[in-house]
């Protein structure tokens, strides 16, 4: 497995960028948190603890309570790559998160983002 720079970055360092991106489109922190919790299975308290502890993306996804079983329904292009074709499991999870944040910023309904 290649060691990409993002693997060692803290989720807490990227979270404000996600928040800024979605707030420009009049979405809320609670919606962002809901999307992250949907993907990872973290409780709100668990998510906040991970952010407070400034865990890396690697540790964040290693400690995921349960990746959502509908994660395979996340499809599309992010950063020039089709998320469903990314071979590195950790990078794919990070890009799933990026894709969900993009969908939130683009104004998709929560129902569609959460694959209901």
């Amino acid at each position: 497995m290649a060691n990409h720079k993002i693997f060692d970055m803290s989720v807490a360092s990227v979270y404000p960028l996600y928040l800024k991106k979605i707030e420009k489109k009049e979405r809320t922190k609670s919606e962002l948190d809901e999307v992250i919790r949907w993907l990872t299975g973290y409780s709100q308290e668990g998510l906040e603890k991970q952010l407070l502890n400034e865990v890396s993306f690697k540790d964040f996804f290693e400690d995921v309570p349960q990746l959502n079983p509908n994660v395979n329904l996340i499809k599309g292009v992010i950063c020039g790559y089709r998320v469903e074709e990314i071979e590195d499991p950790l990078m794919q999870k990070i890009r799933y998160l990026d894709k969900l944040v993009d969908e939130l910023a683009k104004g998709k309904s929560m129902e569609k983002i959460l694959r209901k």
Side-chain angles (χ1 to χ4, degrees):
M1 175 168 77
N3 192 19
H4 297 275
K5 207 159 84 170
I6 193 166
F7 292 177
D8 296 323
M9 290 177 66
S10 74
V11 177
S13 70
V14 178
Y15 184 88
L17 302 174
Y18 290 152
L19 192 56
K20 184 176 180 181
K21 181 177 188 169
I22 63 141
E23 285 178 338
K24 283 183 188 176
K25 303 295 182 169
E26 300 185 15
R27 301 306 287 255
T28 65
K29 178 187 181 301
S30 64
E31 287 174 310
L32 174 60
D33 289 354
E34 182 178 355
V35 165
I36 296 171
R37 290 192 323 265
W38 176 87
L39 176 64
T40 63
Y42 281 112
S43 65
Q44 185 64 33
E45 182 180 299
L47 172 59
E48 290 171 6
K49 183 178 177 188
Q50 294 286 20
L51 295 173
L52 184 65
N53 291 336
E54 297 188 12
V55 299
S56 67
F57 273 98
K58 180 179 180 282
D59 292 338
F60 181 80
F61 281 106
E62 279 182 1
D63 294 341
V64 160
Q66 178 163 355
L67 202 61
N68 192 292
N70 290 331
V71 74
N72 64 323
L73 299 176
I74 302 172
K75 299 190 185 310
V77 177
I78 189 76
C79 299
Y81 296 96
R82 295 203 66 77
V83 292
E84 63 271 25
E85 295 174 0
I86 296 173
E87 292 182 12
D88 184 291
L90 178 55
M91 182 61 78
Q92 187 175 48
K93 291 171 190 166
I94 294 168
R95 296 305 180 204
Y96 282 149
L97 177 56
D98 290 343
K99 183 68 178 162
L100 294 175
V101 171
D102 272 4
E103 290 176 358
L104 190 59
K106 289 180 180 174
K108 278 194 170 186
S109 71
M110 288 301 283
E111 187 174 280
K112 286 184 180 179
I113 295 169
L114 303 181
R115 294 357 192 219
K116 292 184 178 179

